[in-house]
Amino acid sequence: LLVVPALTALAAGCQKPTEVTPAARLVLVQGDQQTRQAGRRLPIPLVFRAETEAGRGVAGVPITFVVDLGGGAVDSASVRSDANGEGRVRWTLGPAVPTQALVATAPGVAPVRQTATASNYNLFICISEHSAEEDIAAFEALTSHSVDGIIVATRANEPGD
């Protein structure tokens, strides 16, 4: 007689697990076309929204962020969309490429590639025909100043050089 009420109470506390509605698309809703100094965090977070075909936000969708171009970083590699279907990420631009890119992905939908522009960076491209010692001295002189990137190309030594 005591077993039945206990089972009824136990069953009343159980709930069917909620299923996540699959998203039909991922769209950028905030943070488009930003420009910031190279190596700095963008002022506005990027917000992506997982949506149904009808345009309603889908909660609980895992959204993954990867810096695709420019060598920058994100504050979180992956988030779950909130009650509005939105996932936010803060993006710090890389040091030396003007056009930088981030890709947001979610299961079952096309990835979204977003670009930002890095400005005010100091990049030197050097072509050297000097000795290694002279190249090192020039490199050290440049890096003692506010230089964000240096690309050095040296010519191959020919026999007899």
Side-chain angles (χ1 to χ4, degrees), residues 48-61:
F48 292 88
R49 182 177 158 121
E51 295 181 341
T52 64
E53 284 292 342
R56 287 189 214 100
V58 181
V61 175

Side-chain angles (χ1 to χ4, degrees), residues 49-152:
R49 182 177 158 121
E51 295 181 341
T52 64
E53 284 292 342
R56 287 189 214 100
V58 181
V61 175
I63 303 172
T64 302
F65 307 104
V66 176
V67 175
D68 185 47
L69 178 64
V74 291
D75 66 346
S76 182
S78 182
V79 299
R80 286 211 174 261
S81 59
D82 63 17
N84 297 318
E86 296 178 353
R88 291 167 172 69
V89 67
R90 298 302 306 248
W91 181 11
T92 300
L93 299 178
V97 179
T99 301
Q100 303 200 16
L102 174 138
V103 176
T105 59
V109 300
V112 177
R113 188 170 194 255
Q114 179 59 36
T115 60
T117 304
S119 63
N120 299 326
Y121 59 90
N122 297 311
L123 175 67
F124 288 88
I125 299 175
C126 306
I127 300 174
S128 174
E129 293 187 10
H130 302 286
S131 70
E133 293 80 23
E134 289 174 301
D135 290 341
I136 291 169
F139 178 81
E140 288 172 351
L142 287 171
T143 56
S144 68
H145 296 83
S146 295
V147 176
D148 298 311
I150 301 172
I151 299 172
V152 178

